[in-house]
Amino acid sequence: MHNLTIAEISRKLQAKEFSSEEITRYFLDRIKQQDPTYNSYVTVTEELAMAQAKAADARLAAGNAPTMCGVPFAHKDIFCTNGVKTTCGSKMLDNFVPPYNATVVENYINEGAVMLGKTNMDEFAMGSSNETSYFGPVKNPWDTNCVPGGSSGGSAAAVAARMAPGATATDTGGSIRQPAALCGITGIKPTYGRVSRWGMIAFASSLDQAGVMARSAEDAAIMLNVMAGYDNKDSTCIDEPVPDYTANLGDSLEGVTIGVPKEYFEEGLNPGTEARVQDAIKQYETAGAKLKSISLPHSHLAVPAYYVIAPAECSANLSRFDGVRYGHRCDDPKDLMDLYKRSRGEGFGEEVKRRILVGTYCLSAGYYDAYYGKSQQVRRLIKQDFVDAFKEVDVIMGPTAPSPAFAFGSKGDDPVAMYLEDIYTIATNLAGLPGMSVPCGLVDNKPVGLQLIGNFFAESKLLNLAHQFQLATDFHTLAPSSLA
């Protein structure tokens, strides 16, 4: 049962082969059995899940239930859930129970989907290994000595270990695509503004975007159908018609032009990863697509620009956590300044403090133009690279991450080495484009991801290309050998 995809579960629920209560109970039992090994969930909402499953069964019995009705899934613990603790992986919010639902959460409730629980993550989505979570690191189901990637490592591990058929996630600099690659699953970050950010705890507001992690492109399309759409509560949400993302999955690859950027295959890329990615791109050529070598000349500036812009925005967003209104509050403060200093000092972890300090410095008088202003100018050049490329190609392909999953602690003392994990994903966030990662093979028995980057609002095209690749290969069906 745990090997069923979302599409298969939906069809069997509609056909009354089993009930939502039965499959929800099955996944809850599997989480109890498996998750002590992986630590992918912060909160399991057993009572709520069974109540939602019962309600879903009633809708299914009445007929005309939507596709996700009765299907179990998990939410990243960054989305506010009414009455359910929402921690964002931080001690600062360990006691925070929101009084409202994020729009993404509300959309899934309206669909009748069943929330199994909230998944672990890097603190405030800052990290590429899930080692910064206050609730302990998540382990990669393919090798428990290795990281699952981050920041959405809990969602990725839960799906890879078959403890949820799909999960929500967020991506500020690669936090959906990199863990999807390292855990051997499918992940998509939509165009900035395609999915509402209302009720999603902010890290860097001009970069954050909600998306999906699942076992296949077809499942990702089904979940994105639930999430995408305009929301007047989010001023950055774009009022653009939403297509049915499952409608064009079967389109032919004949005549599609794939851009292959030379900058994505230079120094720093693991040779085994490069071979698997090149093989995957050749598979597309065999299926009728055309390959075209392109250049994204400002790619090398993406990491330094991102690590000014993102910390600057995070330093502003996280100033609201001061011990006064909600979140962690220190014991017995002597005065207001003592309350601020000790509450923030005790509530935030080291990586979050590092980024707040960097961001505050970059925004301070005398340095704003030299750092933040200059980085925004570089961001414009990076975006223009993609605008020019998409005049000649339909999609861009390359590696998602420079190497397979790495060992715990191997990059913890070197923030720059950790930041380079996102070297192929960050530019997409700076430009606001949709990006996707699909499994394309193994290196040392660990998964490798192929990244697909599309033009603005080209999610349907990405899902179509990914689905066609998964019809021709079986990489997305591979599972860690240790799984029962």
Side-chain angles (χ1 to χ4, degrees), residues 127-145:
S128 304
S129 66
N130 228 123
E131 293 173 290
T132 71
S133 171
Y134 173 65
F135 303 95
V138 177
K139 294 182 179 177
N140 191 317
W142 288 84
D143 184 342
T144 53
N145 295 312

PDB file of all heavy atoms in Angstrom, residues 127-145:
ATOM      1  N   GLY A 127      19.122  26.449   5.264  1.00  0.00           N
ATOM      2  CA  GLY A 127      20.045  25.323   5.290  1.00  0.00           C
ATOM      3  C   GLY A 127      19.861  24.436   4.076  1.00  0.00           C
ATOM      4  O   GLY A 127      18.826  24.468   3.417  1.00  0.00           O
ATOM      5  N   SER A 128      20.894  23.638   3.812  1.00  0.00           N
ATOM      6  CA  SER A 128      20.859  22.721   2.672  1.00  0.00           C
ATOM      7  C   SER A 128      21.086  21.285   3.108  1.00  0.00           C
ATOM      8  O   SER A 128      21.400  20.436   2.291  1.00  0.00           O
ATOM      9  CB  SER A 128      21.950  23.118   1.660  1.00  0.00           C
ATOM     10  OG  SER A 128      21.799  24.462   1.262  1.00  0.00           O
ATOM     11  N   SER A 129      20.926  21.018   4.409  1.00  0.00           N
ATOM     12  CA  SER A 129      21.220  19.670   4.906  1.00  0.00           C
ATOM     13  C   SER A 129      20.244  19.184   5.959  1.00  0.00           C
ATOM     14  O   SER A 129      20.315  18.032   6.373  1.00  0.00           O
ATOM     15  CB  SER A 129      22.629  19.643   5.501  1.00  0.00           C
ATOM     16  OG  SER A 129      22.686  20.451   6.662  1.00  0.00           O
ATOM     17  N   ASN A 130      19.359  20.052   6.414  1.00  0.00           N
ATOM     18  CA  ASN A 130      18.424  19.767   7.509  1.00  0.00           C
ATOM     19  C   ASN A 130      19.134  19.551   8.848  1.00  0.00           C
ATOM     20  O   ASN A 130      18.569  19.014   9.795  1.00  0.00           O
ATOM     21  CB  ASN A 130      17.532  18.564   7.205  1.00  0.00           C
ATOM     22  CG  ASN A 130      16.065  18.849   7.493  1.00  0.00           C
ATOM     23  OD1 ASN A 130      15.202  18.725   6.635  1.00  0.00           O
ATOM     24  ND2 ASN A 130      15.771  19.279   8.712  1.00  0.00           N
ATOM     25  N   GLU A 131      20.391  20.010   8.925  1.00  0.00           N
ATOM     26  CA  GLU A 131      21.131  19.886  10.189  1.00  0.00           C
ATOM     27  C   GLU A 131      20.863  21.043  11.147  1.00  0.00           C
ATOM     28  O   GLU A 131      21.296  20.986  12.298  1.00  0.00           O
ATOM     29  CB  GLU A 131      22.637  19.805   9.903  1.00  0.00           C
ATOM     30  CG  GLU A 131      23.048  18.528   9.182  1.00  0.00           C
ATOM     31  CD  GLU A 131      24.505  18.553   8.758  1.00  0.00           C
ATOM     32  OE1 GLU A 131      24.840  19.327   7.837  1.00  0.00           O
ATOM     33  OE2 GLU A 131      25.303  17.813   9.335  1.00  0.00           O
ATOM     34  N   THR A 132      20.177  22.105  10.682  1.00  0.00           N
ATOM     35  CA  THR A 132      19.969  23.259  11.565  1.00  0.00           C
ATOM     36  C   THR A 132      18.636  23.199  12.301  1.00  0.00           C
ATOM     37  O   THR A 132      18.312  24.121  13.049  1.00  0.00           O
ATOM     38  CB  THR A 132      20.035  24.587  10.772  1.00  0.00           C
ATOM     39  OG1 THR A 132      18.871  24.710   9.936  1.00  0.00           O
ATOM     40  CG2 THR A 132      21.288  24.670   9.909  1.00  0.00           C
ATOM     41  N   SER A 133      17.853  22.132  12.108  1.00  0.00           N
ATOM     42  CA  SER A 133      16.564  22.038  12.790  1.00  0.00           C
ATOM     43  C   SER A 133      16.748  21.913  14.295  1.00  0.00           C
ATOM     44  O   SER A 133      17.575  21.146  14.780  1.00  0.00           O
ATOM     45  CB  SER A 133      15.777  20.826  12.280  1.00  0.00           C
ATOM     46  OG  SER A 133      14.618  20.626  13.081  1.00  0.00           O
ATOM     47  N   TYR A 134      15.914  22.639  15.055  1.00  0.00           N
ATOM     48  CA  TYR A 134      15.913  22.530  16.523  1.00  0.00           C
ATOM     49  C   TYR A 134      15.488  21.126  16.950  1.00  0.00           C
ATOM     50  O   TYR A 134      15.834  20.671  18.044  1.00  0.00           O
ATOM     51  CB  TYR A 134      14.952  23.578  17.097  1.00  0.00           C
ATOM     52  CG  TYR A 134      14.727  23.479  18.570  1.00  0.00           C
ATOM     53  CD1 TYR A 134      15.773  23.706  19.475  1.00  0.00           C
ATOM     54  CD2 TYR A 134      13.466  23.166  19.092  1.00  0.00           C
ATOM     55  CE1 TYR A 134      15.563  23.615  20.846  1.00  0.00           C
ATOM     56  CE2 TYR A 134      13.249  23.076  20.458  1.00  0.00           C
ATOM     57  CZ  TYR A 134      14.303  23.303  21.324  1.00  0.00           C
ATOM     58  OH  TYR A 134      14.091  23.211  22.692  1.00  0.00           O
ATOM     59  N   PHE A 135      14.765  20.432  16.095  1.00  0.00           N
ATOM     60  CA  PHE A 135      14.223  19.117  16.438  1.00  0.00           C
ATOM     61  C   PHE A 135      15.118  17.973  15.965  1.00  0.00           C
ATOM     62  O   PHE A 135      14.685  16.819  15.894  1.00  0.00           O
ATOM     63  CB  PHE A 135      12.808  18.968  15.867  1.00  0.00           C
ATOM     64  CG  PHE A 135      11.898  20.049  16.360  1.00  0.00           C
ATOM     65  CD1 PHE A 135      11.681  21.194  15.611  1.00  0.00           C
ATOM     66  CD2 PHE A 135      11.307  19.954  17.610  1.00  0.00           C
ATOM     67  CE1 PHE A 135      10.881  22.219  16.088  1.00  0.00           C
ATOM     68  CE2 PHE A 135      10.512  20.967  18.103  1.00  0.00           C
ATOM     69  CZ  PHE A 135      10.294  22.102  17.341  1.00  0.00           C
ATOM     70  N   GLY A 136      16.353  18.298  15.626  1.00  0.00           N
ATOM     71  CA  GLY A 136      17.314  17.274  15.239  1.00  0.00           C
ATOM     72  C   GLY A 136      17.335  17.052  13.741  1.00  0.00           C
ATOM     73  O   GLY A 136      16.372  17.365  13.030  1.00  0.00           O
ATOM     74  N   PRO A 137      18.444  16.520  13.229  1.00  0.00           N
ATOM     75  CA  PRO A 137      18.568  16.326  11.785  1.00  0.00           C
ATOM     76  C   PRO A 137      17.671  15.212  11.263  1.00  0.00           C
ATOM     77  O   PRO A 137      17.398  14.237  11.963  1.00  0.00           O
ATOM     78  CB  PRO A 137      20.050  15.958  11.615  1.00  0.00           C
ATOM     79  CG  PRO A 137      20.437  15.365  12.926  1.00  0.00           C
ATOM     80  CD  PRO A 137      19.642  16.089  13.967  1.00  0.00           C
ATOM     81  N   VAL A 138      17.237  15.377  10.016  1.00  0.00           N
ATOM     82  CA  VAL A 138      16.522  14.304   9.307  1.00  0.00           C
ATOM     83  C   VAL A 138      17.564  13.426   8.616  1.00  0.00           C
ATOM     84  O   VAL A 138      18.584  13.922   8.131  1.00  0.00           O
ATOM     85  CB  VAL A 138      15.563  14.907   8.264  1.00  0.00           C
ATOM     86  CG1 VAL A 138      14.876  13.807   7.462  1.00  0.00           C
ATOM     87  CG2 VAL A 138      14.537  15.794   8.936  1.00  0.00           C
ATOM     88  N   LYS A 139      17.327  12.121   8.584  1.00  0.00           N
ATOM     89  CA  LYS A 139      18.273  11.209   7.935  1.00  0.00           C
ATOM     90  C   LYS A 139      17.766  10.801   6.556  1.00  0.00           C
ATOM     91  O   LYS A 139      16.566  10.634   6.347  1.00  0.00           O
ATOM     92  CB  LYS A 139      18.488   9.978   8.808  1.00  0.00           C
ATOM     93  CG  LYS A 139      19.177  10.326  10.125  1.00  0.00           C
ATOM     94  CD  LYS A 139      19.425   9.104  10.971  1.00  0.00           C
ATOM     95  CE  LYS A 139      20.139   9.507  12.271  1.00  0.00           C
ATOM     96  NZ  LYS A 139      20.346   8.361  13.166  1.00  0.00           N
ATOM     97  N   ASN A 140      18.709  10.658   5.646  1.00  0.00           N
ATOM     98  CA  ASN A 140      18.368  10.291   4.269  1.00  0.00           C
ATOM     99  C   ASN A 140      18.026   8.799   4.201  1.00  0.00           C
ATOM    100  O   ASN A 140      18.850   7.963   4.584  1.00  0.00           O
ATOM    101  CB  ASN A 140      19.557  10.600   3.351  1.00  0.00           C
ATOM    102  CG  ASN A 140      19.204  10.506   1.888  1.00  0.00           C
ATOM    103  OD1 ASN A 140      18.515   9.587   1.457  1.00  0.00           O
ATOM    104  ND2 ASN A 140      19.667  11.465   1.114  1.00  0.00           N
ATOM    105  N   PRO A 141      16.836   8.435   3.725  1.00  0.00           N
ATOM    106  CA  PRO A 141      16.462   7.006   3.671  1.00  0.00           C
ATOM    107  C   PRO A 141      17.394   6.158   2.812  1.00  0.00           C
ATOM    108  O   PRO A 141      17.452   4.938   2.994  1.00  0.00           O
ATOM    109  CB  PRO A 141      15.047   7.038   3.077  1.00  0.00           C
ATOM    110  CG  PRO A 141      14.528   8.389   3.417  1.00  0.00           C
ATOM    111  CD  PRO A 141      15.719   9.307   3.339  1.00  0.00           C
ATOM    112  N   TRP A 142      18.140   6.791   1.890  1.00  0.00           N
ATOM    113  CA  TRP A 142      19.065   6.021   1.054  1.00  0.00           C
ATOM    114  C   TRP A 142      20.352   5.686   1.784  1.00  0.00           C
ATOM    115  O   TRP A 142      21.048   4.736   1.432  1.00  0.00           O
ATOM    116  CB  TRP A 142      19.384   6.802  -0.231  1.00  0.00           C
ATOM    117  CG  TRP A 142      18.240   6.843  -1.178  1.00  0.00           C
ATOM    118  CD1 TRP A 142      17.190   7.718  -1.168  1.00  0.00           C
ATOM    119  CD2 TRP A 142      17.987   5.957  -2.265  1.00  0.00           C
ATOM    120  NE1 TRP A 142      16.308   7.426  -2.185  1.00  0.00           N
ATOM    121  CE2 TRP A 142      16.786   6.358  -2.882  1.00  0.00           C
ATOM    122  CE3 TRP A 142      18.679   4.870  -2.799  1.00  0.00           C
ATOM    123  CZ2 TRP A 142      16.248   5.701  -3.988  1.00  0.00           C
ATOM    124  CZ3 TRP A 142      18.155   4.212  -3.907  1.00  0.00           C
ATOM    125  CH2 TRP A 142      16.956   4.627  -4.476  1.00  0.00           C
ATOM    126  N   ASP A 143      20.707   6.478   2.772  1.00  0.00           N
ATOM    127  CA  ASP A 143      21.908   6.260   3.575  1.00  0.00           C
ATOM    128  C   ASP A 143      21.753   7.105   4.832  1.00  0.00           C
ATOM    129  O   ASP A 143      21.881   8.336   4.771  1.00  0.00           O
ATOM    130  CB  ASP A 143      23.165   6.668   2.801  1.00  0.00           C
ATOM    131  CG  ASP A 143      24.439   6.372   3.574  1.00  0.00           C
ATOM    132  OD1 ASP A 143      24.360   6.185   4.810  1.00  0.00           O
ATOM    133  OD2 ASP A 143      25.521   6.352   2.941  1.00  0.00           O
ATOM    134  N   THR A 144      21.493   6.465   5.947  1.00  0.00           N
ATOM    135  CA  THR A 144      21.183   7.227   7.162  1.00  0.00           C
ATOM    136  C   THR A 144      22.400   7.936   7.750  1.00  0.00           C
ATOM    137  O   THR A 144      22.267   8.673   8.723  1.00  0.00           O
ATOM    138  CB  THR A 144      20.559   6.310   8.228  1.00  0.00           C
ATOM    139  OG1 THR A 144      21.414   5.178   8.443  1.00  0.00           O
ATOM    140  CG2 THR A 144      19.179   5.845   7.820  1.00  0.00           C
ATOM    141  N   ASN A 145      23.575   7.723   7.168  1.00  0.00           N
ATOM    142  CA  ASN A 145      24.744   8.514   7.565  1.00  0.00           C
ATOM    143  C   ASN A 145      24.828   9.827   6.797  1.00  0.00           C
ATOM    144  O   ASN A 145      25.732  10.625   7.038  1.00  0.00           O
ATOM    145  CB  ASN A 145      26.033   7.716   7.313  1.00  0.00           C
ATOM    146  CG  ASN A 145      26.118   6.493   8.194  1.00  0.00           C
ATOM    147  OD1 ASN A 145      25.890   6.573   9.404  1.00  0.00           O
ATOM    148  ND2 ASN A 145      26.426   5.344   7.599  1.00  0.00           N
TER     149      ASN A 145
END
